[in-house]
Amino acid sequence: MKFEAFKEFRRDLTRLRVLYEASTQAYETLHQTGKAIMQQPGHPASVVFKVGAKTIKRPWKSVTFHARDIYPKTLRSVILVQAISIYEVFIVAIVAEMATRSKDWLKDDKRLEMSHAELLTIVWNQGIEAYILDKLMNGLTRGSLSDKLKFYKTKFNVELAASDTAYQDLEEVHDRRNLYVHRMGYPDAFYIRKYPGSTAREDQKIPVDDDYLEQTFAILESSARHIVQKLEALYPQVIAPTYTIGSAPLTVSAQQLHIVTVRCLSNAALAIMRNEARMLVGAVALSDTLVWLAVVGLRVTYVLAGTGETVKPFFKQIASDEKANQIRVEQSFRINRRNIRSSAPSNHSINPLTEGEETSSTTPDGSDRSGLD
């Protein structure tokens, strides 16, 4: 499956190129029209532009002159800035997609300093994984090209370009973009020393001509294509849930529904936890109370239906599994359906998410489990 971020990058870059091409042609038409009008005796002094609800008059002479050179030069510098922005959005967006293919790269040795209240707020509002991912992406957005290179090499062992020369080209277009963002296109001493072959001078704007802009598009697309090819080879598959249906019917007669998510600490534990035929404590089969289970990576989510007594073996079993360091319970809550009122027949299936009453998340034997609310 291809990366959506790459598709969006190519779409936005193509739109930008078409904008440049159409605008360039429009400037040429404006230039030729202005010359023809000014050659006529008694020609109007001003050209009238309509911008939204406004009508704006500009002198034909300056508009005609600028349409030949100034406007296209300015447009190319603006297109350069926008093209780099599209590339940097891609660099960050594809990282978000990587989290749908693997979670392992999120693990590192960094530490978070926060209060219990802050930590619990994160867990309840968005989850730890989403918080860490957002934090990484925000840092990547604000970082320089060298920061992005370091991130990709550290996290994925992937370069931003196919060769050192290609990366130097990528670095140069970023540096020239920075000149137009921060210095109106005038190079500073650092740029001149870094690129001695550019013939740049501090008192002259460094140009962005047609050839350079076309080269920029090629450099950015080549880098993006290189990145997706490397990442696709490393992580070809999206993490997709697989579902298994159990034997327990989802009917009104089921007094309780339990939704439990566990994270397996090994592939061997995963094979055990996803087996719906597994015999639990008390020689009870998991499938007897299982409505369905879903598996995403090493995470298994169960939906169980029955009474407190019938689901008790399951909770005893996962307590034993957790004590044996096979799993970690991430969430566990119960929907109490004993007092449900329905005009439907007793064997009529209902939606557990819209009927019933959610109660405290204790295990069926009455013992509290911290953090399972």
Side-chain angles (χ1 to χ4, degrees):
M1 181 179 293
K2 300 301 181 182
F3 287 98
E4 288 298 320
F6 183 62
K7 295 179 183 178
E8 293 175 4
F9 164 79
R10 295 193 63 195
R11 178 202 65 195
D12 292 342
L13 203 63
T14 298
R15 288 176 178 174
L16 193 64
R17 297 178 79 160
V18 173
L19 171 64
Y20 170 66
E21 293 159 359
S23 299
T24 300
Q25 182 171 321
Y27 290 146
E28 177 62 23
T29 300
L30 181 61
H31 175 65
Q32 296 298 332
T33 301
K35 285 199 305 182
I37 288 177
M38 287 191 298
Q39 290 173 0
Q40 298 174 4
H43 66 79
S46 300
V47 57
V48 178
F49 294 118
K50 290 185 178 180
V51 182
K54 295 181 179 179
T55 299
I56 302 172
K57 293 183 178 181
R58 300 292 183 189
W60 262 118
K61 186 175 181 179
S62 63
V63 167
T64 301
F65 174 76
H66 291 157
R68 181 183 59 185
D69 190 19
I70 302 300
Y71 297 156
K73 282 183 178 180
T74 303
L75 175 65
R76 286 193 291 270
S77 66
V78 172
I79 295 292
L80 171 66
V81 173
Q82 185 66 22
I84 301 297
S85 296
I86 290 172
Y87 173 81
E88 292 188 337
V89 167
F90 158 77
I91 288 291
V92 177
I94 203 168
V95 169
E97 279 197 71
M98 285 302 300
T100 69
R101 300 188 177 217
S102 172
K103 306 290 187 183
D104 290 340
W105 62 270
L106 287 169
K107 301 173 183 176
D108 55 38
D109 295 329
K110 292 181 180 179
R111 298 291 186 267
L112 297 175
E113 296 292 337
M114 62 181 63
S115 67
H116 290 177
E118 291 173 321
L119 180 59
L120 289 173
T121 299
I122 291 170
V123 171
W124 293 335
N125 289 348
Q126 63 183 133
I128 292 295
E129 285 182 7
Y131 173 81
I132 293 175
L133 180 61
D134 286 346
K135 190 175 179 66
L136 289 174
M137 291 174 62
N138 287 334
L140 195 60
T141 298
R142 291 165 174 77
S144 64
L145 182 66
S146 60
D147 293 330
K148 293 175 174 61
L149 172 65
K150 182 179 179 181
F151 180 93
Y152 270 76
K153 290 180 69 173
T154 301
K155 294 296 185 182
F156 311 121
N157 195 27
V158 170
E159 302 280 352
L160 293 185
S163 66
D164 290 342
T165 301
Y167 178 75
Q168 291 169 4
D169 292 338
L170 180 65
E171 191 173 32
E172 194 280 329
V173 298
H174 272 77
D175 288 341
R176 192 171 299 201
R177 183 279 305 265
N178 291 340
L179 294 180
Y180 274 93
V181 171
H182 302 294
R183 295 177 55 86
M184 289 293 294
Y186 290 96
D188 54 11
F190 175 80
Y191 181 91
I192 294 173
R193 287 197 304 270
K194 189 174 181 180
Y195 303 105
S198 66
T199 66
R201 294 174 52 182
E202 290 192 42
D203 59 343
Q204 293 181 357
K205 283 188 177 182
I206 190 166
V208 179
D209 56 25
D210 290 313
D211 291 339
Y212 183 84
L213 194 59
E214 188 62 34
Q215 181 184 2
T216 296
F217 288 136
I219 289 170
L220 298 179
E221 187 161 351
S222 175
S223 171
R225 190 177 299 277
H226 168 78
I227 291 169
V228 297
Q229 288 175 347
K230 292 297 183 179
L231 292 179
E232 183 74 30
L234 290 171
Y235 305 98
Q237 299 296 329
V238 173
I239 302 173
T242 58
Y243 297 95
T244 303
I245 298 175
S247 302
L250 191 57
T251 63
V252 173
S253 60
Q255 294 182 4
Q256 297 177 2
L257 291 177
H258 293 264
I259 300 176
V260 181
T261 300
V262 303
R263 176 178 288 278
C264 301
L265 303 183
S266 67
N267 287 322
L270 175 64
I272 296 172
M273 300 304 293
R274 69 185 300 173
N275 180 12
E276 72 275 11
R278 182 189 187 191
M279 299 304 293
L280 308 174
V281 172
V284 177
L286 170 61
S287 60
D288 290 344
T289 55
L290 180 68
V291 177
W292 58 256
L293 66 82
V295 179
V296 181
L298 292 176
R299 183 183 285 113
V300 182
T301 299
Y302 303 88
V303 174
L304 307 168
T307 65
E309 286 299 318
T310 58
V311 298
K312 185 182 295 185
F314 171 82
F315 285 96
K316 287 185 175 180
Q317 183 65 61
I318 63 170
S320 175
D321 294 335
E322 190 168 29
K323 186 176 181 180
N325 204 34
Q326 296 295 314
I327 64 169
R328 291 287 181 268
V329 178
E330 292 191 342
Q331 74 165 353
S332 175
F333 63 91
R334 178 181 66 195
I335 301 174
N336 190 343
R337 306 165 80 237
R338 285 175 294 184
N339 299 322
I340 192 171
R341 295 188 302 273
S342 175
S343 59
S346 60
N347 62 348
H348 181 69
S349 296
I350 64 171
N351 185 346
L353 301 181
T354 58
E355 305 205 35
E357 173 188 1
E358 185 175 343
T359 64
S360 62
S361 62
T362 57
T363 55
D365 58 4
S367 60
D368 286 325
R369 292 182 59 84
S370 60
L372 301 185
D373 196 359

